[in-house]
Amino acid sequence: GAGVSQSPSNKVTEKGKDVELRCDPISGHTALYWYRQSLGQGLEFLIYFQGNSAPDKSGLPSDRFSAERTGGSVSTLTIQRTQQEDSAVYLCASSLGSATAYNEQFFGPGTRLTVL
Amino acid sequence: AQRVTQPEKLLSVFKGAPVELKCNYSYSGSPELFWYVQYSRQRLQLLLRHISRESIKGFTADLNKGETSFHLKKPFAQEEDSAMYYCALSDDYKLSFGAGTTVTVRA
């Protein structure tokens, strides 16, 4: 079956503009995660959705960042008033359940965001 | 709070030579540790997890709680092992990643 998909693959925007990044998880996966991969800084957890539970937003770097997950499937990460430091690769992952040692997270190809 | 440290940003070895990628962690509990790999132009993918005690593509990693380490090893590196490797620690559902090590295997 298809893996996690993300769109767009690349996004170039001007400072101050809003952007929306989309993630389609693997069908049947109840858990969905967003990470940010910055140059030289590894991957940083942003937000986690599990079923109908309230999301864990503890990794969002500022209130300019928000995310939704509609119908327990597709998720959208929105960044308002983008800044140059938001430039990074945004990765989405999904898993069958909560990430325990036995619940592998499957990653999408990422969206490369460049803020000019 | 948990933290994962990968001290080497770059690692270059010759084909057939052993390779070891270092990973140290700090965690107040029983850690669940993973190695993820990202080959050129491919997605990030799970390589192995400590709880499975498995060997994948010739790689092994042993959890050493005394030294709080989870180093990744392979006795004979191959050119196809050239990739970015991330050590990760799971805290319930979040994965905390190290900064990653880029491995280049030279012919």
Side-chain angles (χ1 to χ4, degrees), chain B residues 5-8 20-24 35 70-72 87 101:
Chain B
T5 304
Q6 292 180 250
E8 305 137 329
E20 181 179 36
L21 288 76
K22 291 185 168 51
C23 172
N24 289 90
W35 278 97
F70 188 56
H71 302 329
L72 182 69
C87 182
T101 299

Side-chain angles (χ1 to χ4, degrees), chain A residues 3-4 33 35 37 40-43 45 48 56 58 99-105 107-109, chain B residues 9 32 34 36 38 43-46 49 51-52 86 90 92-100:
Chain A
V4 177
Y33 318 77
Y35 296 90
Q37 187 175 27
Q41 295 188 23
L43 287 91
F45 167 81
Y48 161 75
D56 177 351
S58 61
T100 67
Y102 295 99
N103 259 310
E104 180 178 349
Q105 291 187 27
F107 284 80
Chain B
K9 285 189 176 181
E32 295 175 356
F34 308 80
Y36 277 80
Q38 189 166 27
R43 304 176 182 210
L44 188 66
Q45 58 186 285
L46 178 66
R49 63 195 98 189
I51 200 165
S52 300
Y86 292 95
S90 174
D92 193 10
Y93 46 80
K94 301 176 193 177
L95 284 176
S96 292
F97 287 86

Side-chain angles (χ1 to χ4, degrees), chain A residues 6-77:
Chain A
Q6 292 185 246
S7 61
S9 55
N10 281 284
K11 177 71 177 179
V12 180
T13 189
E14 294 180 348
K15 178 182 173 180
K17 300 283 189 184
D18 298 350
V19 295
E20 283 190 353
L21 312 180
R22 178 188 167 104
C23 172
D24 283 86
I26 293 172
S27 177
H29 281 194
T30 61
L32 186 147
Y33 318 77
W34 283 97
Y35 296 90
R36 179 167 69 174
Q37 187 175 27
S38 301
L39 190 62
Q41 295 188 23
L43 287 91
E44 172 191 14
F45 167 81
L46 297 177
I47 189 169
Y48 161 75
F49 295 91
Q50 170 59 286
N52 295 321
S53 303
D56 177 351
K57 304 179 181 181
S58 61
L60 295 178
S62 78
D63 58 8
R64 295 186 295 104
F65 287 72
S66 62
E68 291 185 343
R69 188 178 185 191
T70 55
S73 180
V74 171
S75 177
T76 302
L77 177 69

